Structures are given as C-alpha cells and as structure tokens.
Amino acid sequence: MVVPVIAFMLVAALVGGAYVTNPFSRFTMVKQPFVAQAVADALQAVNNNHRLHVAQAWPWRLFATLKCWIHIMETRFVRSERSDAKTLKHIITDIHASRFDPNKLLLTSGDHFSALFVRNLGVFYYPTCDPRIPSTTEEWHNRQVSYLQTVAYALGVFEKRPVPVTTIVPTGAYRATCMNFWRYPSDTVYGVLYALAALQGKELAAPVDYAPAQQELGTVRAAELLVREYHTTLVKLYAHYRDTVFDEKAGLLRRDVYICGAKDITLRACSFYDNVVFWKTTSLAMELGIIPRDRPFLRRLKQTILLTFWLEDKGYFLDEPSGEAMAGAYYSSDWLIALVTGFLDPAKAAERPYFERSVAYIQAAGVDNPLPLKYQAEGSGRQQFFLARLAFASYQRDTAWSFWGMEYIKTLLLLYTHTGKKQYLKTADKHIASYKHAMLRDSGFPEVYDTKGQLYQTWMYRSVRKTGWVIGFEQALAMRNAIKTGVGHGA
C-alpha cells in the first residue's frame, strides 16, 4: 500500500503544482512583474522584472516539461475552451476578452498553452499592433498592453539567462524555466525584436500598408525604453543565435544543426522558413541598433536564399536542402513567412511570380482544400521528433493551419490588387466564407483543422478552439474591406 500512496501523492503534487503555476488558473500564484497602465492618455509601466528568477536545475526542467503535457491532456480529456457566442462578431469579441487580457501574465494561443512560446510575438501574433483593424478603444488598448507586457516579461527572463529558447515556462510566483521544444529556436530572437519594432511603429504589423490607420499607437515610448534598458541582453541574444545557427562561409544557416521554427515538431536544418527568419531578424537588429547596419550583407543573403530554395521547374520554394527533401522536392506552406516578413513583396513586378506560381501549385495540389492552408499535400514522408510523431503525427503535415490560411488569403487579396485578376478575389472570398462557417460551427477560431475541415484532434491532442490568431482573420477582413470600399492604398 505504501508505494501506491506515495505515487498518488506525487501525482497530486505535480498536478497541483501545474495548476498553481499556470498563469491562467483562477488561483494562480504567478505574479506579473511588468505592468503597463494608461495614465493621462499615455502608458506608464511598473517594471519589477528584477524579481524574476530563472531556475534551470533538472528538477525544474522536468517539472516544466511535465506541466506542459498535463495541460495538453487536461484540454484533451477534461475541458476545452468554447465560446458561448452565437454570432461571428461576438465570437471574435469573446476571444479578444480571453486572449488579449492585460491582467494576465502572457499573450498565448489559449487552452493548454500557458507558457510563452516567444516566436508567437513575431509569427502568429504579428498583426496585434495593426492600427487599421477595426477595434473598439478598449480592444485596441488591451492588444497593445498585453503585447507590450509579454515582450517585457520575455526580456526580463532573458536578462537573467541571455540564451534563446523556444519556450519560457512559469514555474513559480516570479520563477521561470527556459525550455527548448524541440530544439534550439530559429525564431525566438525574431519574435522579441519584431515585437519591439512593432510597438515603436517601425513595422507595419501587416503585409502592406493597405488602408489608413484607425487608431494611434500608444506604445512607442515604452518600447523605446525597453530597447535601451535591455540593449545588452538583446546584443547577447542575437550574438548567441547567429553563432549557433549561421554558417558565415556558406552565407546560409548551418545544414548540420536541427532548429525549430513554427513547424517545430518536424526535423529540419537550413529550411527556407528559418533562413528567411534569420534575414529578417538581422534586419530588425540593424533597425533597432543592436548590430551595425550592413545592407550589402542583407542583399547577398536574400539572393543566396532565393538561388538555393526556388525550384524554377516546380514553381515553389524547396522546404529544406537535405538529400531527402531535394529528392522529393518537398514543399511547405510556411514559405509564406516571405510575405509576413517582407522578404518578398507581391507589389514588385520582379517578385510577384514567386507568389503567383506558388499559389498555382497550392491550388493544383489541393493544399488549400477544404480549408487553407495545409503544410503539405501528403500525409507522410517527413521526419518528425519521435514523441510528437507518436502523439500527433499529422499535426504539421496535411492538417490545415488557420494562421497560414489567413496569410494565404492575404496573398490572394494582394495578387488581385496588383494584377486585377478576379479569380484571386473570388478564391479569397470563398475561403473567407468557409472560415466564417467553421467559426460559427466550432464556436471559436481553431488553431488546426483535420483533412476534412473539422476541428483537429488525436488520441492525445485537441486543437485550441479559441486562439487569439483570430487577429489575422480580422486583418484579412480589413484588407478585403479596403478593396471593397476603395480606401486601400493599393486599391
């Protein structure tokens, strides 16, 4: 009897610990070290990041790993967030109230994601500070503040341990544990630098300047102060990142190091996505004064990326230059990071064919059917980390990701704007209508859909239902409305 009792007590302690260190639990012990508030139409912050403590001993890393899996199992078998709203507008409002809450520690994707995946700041939540998205005054304020507080929290942790990681896991009141799920990150430094630039108005927070701003950015001063205060930390983060992933002689990322980006459960080295992210990260580091300006380097890097990855005979970008990927001419939909980062611009006649031919491939291969956008057409044929393959193998294969779906729709809208071809607009409208239907059906804006266009789930994982990625959907709607009303800068 002794062993079962001890085992039960250990499990209970672990589950209890996971609950109280979840910053979104009702009775959480986790504190907000950096709090921003509006005072006399300006943002003022109370910065207690000095109280943060980073715990990296193996018991803390084990606890951080187990608590993340506990939250995944909880939302798979016990509960899952669902909106009670019945209209599209109210579903979006409900998601905003849950995700963009300044009273919470972090801006996360929702449900089981209680830790900070730092890439979110530059990838899945990059439209957060877009002032062209129609919003109430409260929503606009909350988006800015939650985004600001999240990047400030990341900086506070990295000041204590200036090594890029994919994930920061709260493990105490002011304690955090830095983890890599599943390898060294390709896009963490990008996420931090992008957020700081966007909060200063140095990034559009949109693929293009598609319409006049409806709101005024109120975070410029606060973001400038963060850059100055954490300048040394930012220098160390960028240097560690570059030293770890970049091959200075080859002029591309190293081919012998697996790194994790948005497609994080797939084993990849020197992928197109990761190289474009490195290009953008370096550009942002120059813009923010983290490293000296070197525009010739950026031009050479861009040219090398295009020459290495563009498959002229196929009409799309190669996923990665490994022997297997080259033999199979692997495609991956995260090539759309080229739009997100401004690496390529459909407004430029010389760069437009990259988008036009990629879209043609997507449609011919059915990558956008029944909902956009699948990572790839096939359901197998890519290497994945073992545990991820066991628990949710199809997660980043032929499932449809709502984030990339929105970037695909934006691409269609921009191609229509610059070519006048109505088929692009017609296809974009069809996909927007499909997403509206799915949102009403699923009572939220899910993270992932299965091959039949239903909410994705496996024996161990269920898609987040109320993800704040809905901000990308709102941005796509705003871009479509700019075309409809003729107010867009490119309309």
Side-chain angles (χ1 to χ4, degrees):
M1 288 295 293
V2 175
V3 173
V5 170
I6 293 176
F8 174 80
M9 293 176 64
L10 288 174
V11 171
L14 178 61
V15 172
Y19 178 85
V20 298
T21 58
N22 180 351
F24 301 96
S25 296
R26 182 178 180 183
F27 299 108
T28 183
M29 67 184 294
V30 179
K31 306 296 183 182
Q32 282 185 279
F34 184 99
V35 179
Q37 296 179 329
V39 179
D41 296 327
L43 281 178
Q44 292 186 3
V46 177
N47 187 353
N48 284 315
N49 275 350
H50 64 277
R51 301 188 66 177
L52 287 169
H53 171 66
V54 176
Q56 292 300 116
W58 73 263
W60 289 112
R61 287 185 282 112
L62 178 61
F63 173 60
T65 301
L66 292 175
K67 71 174 290 221
C68 288
W69 283 101
I70 287 171
H71 294 320
I72 288 175
M73 289 187 286
E74 178 191 9
T75 55
R76 175 62 182 90
F77 298 108
V78 180
R79 65 169 187 85
S80 180
E81 290 183 307
R82 176 190 293 268
S83 175
D84 294 326
K86 302 301 181 183
T87 67
L88 200 68
K89 180 180 179 181
H90 290 136
I91 287 174
I92 293 173
T93 300
D94 186 38
I95 294 174
H96 271 261
S98 299
R99 299 284 79 83
F100 301 98
D101 185 351
N103 296 314
K104 301 297 183 182
L105 177 70
L106 302 169
L107 171 58
T108 74
S109 296
D111 247 349
H112 51 267
F113 289 112
S114 63
L116 173 57
F117 284 77
V118 190
R119 73 170 61 94
N120 287 358
L121 295 167
V123 184
F124 302 115
Y125 281 108
Y126 85 93
T128 299
C129 290
D130 183 357
R132 290 160 288 268
I133 298 174
S135 309
T136 65
T137 301
E138 181 181 11
E139 285 176 344
W140 173 238
H141 168 79
N142 289 348
R143 283 189 357 231
Q144 293 179 88
V145 172
S146 60
Y147 196 60
L148 174 67
Q149 290 178 167
T150 302
V151 71
Y153 174 73
L155 288 168
V157 172
F158 286 136
E159 183 183 35
K160 303 296 193 306
R161 187 176 185 269
V163 177
V165 292
T166 65
T167 315
I168 297 172
V169 185
T171 50
Y174 289 102
R175 183 187 300 111
T177 300
C178 296
M179 302 292 297
N180 278 327
F181 299 123
W182 303 75
R183 285 290 190 275
Y184 188 91
S186 74
D187 43 14
T188 285
V189 182
Y190 163 64
V192 171
L193 297 186
Y194 178 87
L196 291 170
L199 288 163
Q200 293 179 61
K202 293 183 176 182
E203 284 290 318
L204 288 173
V208 293
D209 190 9
Y210 59 90
Q214 299 189 18
Q215 312 275 2
E216 183 177 348
L217 194 64
T219 54
V220 175
R221 178 63 176 163
E224 290 174 346
L225 290 173
L226 285 177
V227 171
R228 285 204 294 271
E229 182 171 354
Y230 294 99
H231 184 269
T232 300
T233 299
L234 294 170
V235 170
K236 291 178 180 178
L237 286 173
Y238 178 82
H240 194 286
Y241 166 63
R242 182 162 179 161
D243 289 345
T244 302
V245 305
F246 193 64
D247 185 334
E248 300 289 348
K249 288 185 178 180
L252 282 174
L253 297 193
R254 293 173 57 181
R255 299 193 184 194
D256 61 342
V257 176
Y258 288 128
I259 54 178
C260 283
K263 196 176 182 180
D264 56 357
I265 70 170
T266 302
L267 282 157
R268 296 195 299 183
C270 191
S271 72
F272 176 76
Y273 170 95
D274 294 332
N275 275 282
V276 171
V277 166
F278 177 79
W279 173 88
K280 183 61 174 182
T281 306
T282 303
S283 176
L284 288 167
M286 294 176 186
E287 181 69 24
L288 294 172
I290 308 303
I291 61 174
R293 290 184 181 271
D294 188 352
R295 297 302 176 189
F297 172 80
L298 292 176
R299 287 195 293 270
R300 290 193 304 271
L301 176 59
K302 179 174 180 176
Q303 188 62 25
T304 303
I305 294 172
L306 293 175
L307 289 173
T308 302
F309 290 94
W310 179 250
L311 301 177
E312 180 62 30
D313 60 330
K314 301 289 186 181
Y316 58 80
F317 289 102
L318 178 69
D319 182 15
E320 55 157 339
S322 67
E324 177 186 341
M326 293 177 72
Y330 284 170
Y331 160 90
S332 181
S333 286
D334 57 1
W335 73 270
L336 281 164
I337 196 69
L339 178 71
V340 175
T341 58
F343 180 76
L344 294 172
D345 184 355
K348 297 178 180 178
E351 297 182 352
R352 196 175 305 140
Y354 292 117
F355 293 94
E356 293 177 309
R357 296 192 64 197
S358 294
V359 166
Y361 166 78
I362 286 169
Q363 295 176 349
V367 179
D368 62 342
N369 183 51
L371 281 171
L373 195 62
K374 301 173 185 175
Y375 263 107
Q376 59 197 57
E378 69 276 13
S380 60
R382 310 288 172 93
Q383 292 185 345
Q384 293 182 327
F385 293 102
F386 173 76
L387 186 57
R389 185 170 68 250
L390 182 68
F392 29 81
S394 61
Y395 184 60
Q396 291 174 352
R397 287 179 173 173
D398 56 349
T399 50
W401 280 60
S402 57
F403 172 78
W404 296 116
M406 295 307 106
E407 299 314 304
Y408 177 64
I409 289 171
K410 295 170 195 175
T411 297
L412 294 171
L413 294 173
L414 292 171
L415 287 176
Y416 166 74
T417 297
H418 297 295
T419 68
K421 295 180 181 179
K422 293 185 178 180
Q423 187 58 40
Y424 289 129
L425 186 61
K426 182 178 179 181
T427 304
D429 285 342
K430 179 188 76 170
H431 291 315
I432 289 172
S434 295
Y435 264 94
K436 287 181 177 179
H437 171 77
M439 289 172 67
L440 291 169
R441 179 197 67 200
D442 297 325
S443 301
F445 188 77
E447 161 204 21
V448 189
Y449 296 89
D450 65 20
T451 55
K452 296 181 180 179
Q454 303 296 313
L455 185 76
Y456 172 81
Q457 65 180 28
T458 69
W459 68 275
M460 193 173 180
Y461 187 90
R462 178 185 286 123
S463 167
V464 176
R465 191 186 302 267
K466 286 175 56 178
T467 177
W469 301 359
V470 74
I471 194 68
F473 175 72
E474 295 174 81
Q475 189 178 69
L477 291 183
M479 291 175 66
R480 178 62 181 92
N481 187 61
I483 293 173
K484 180 180 179 180
T485 60
V487 301
H489 295 160

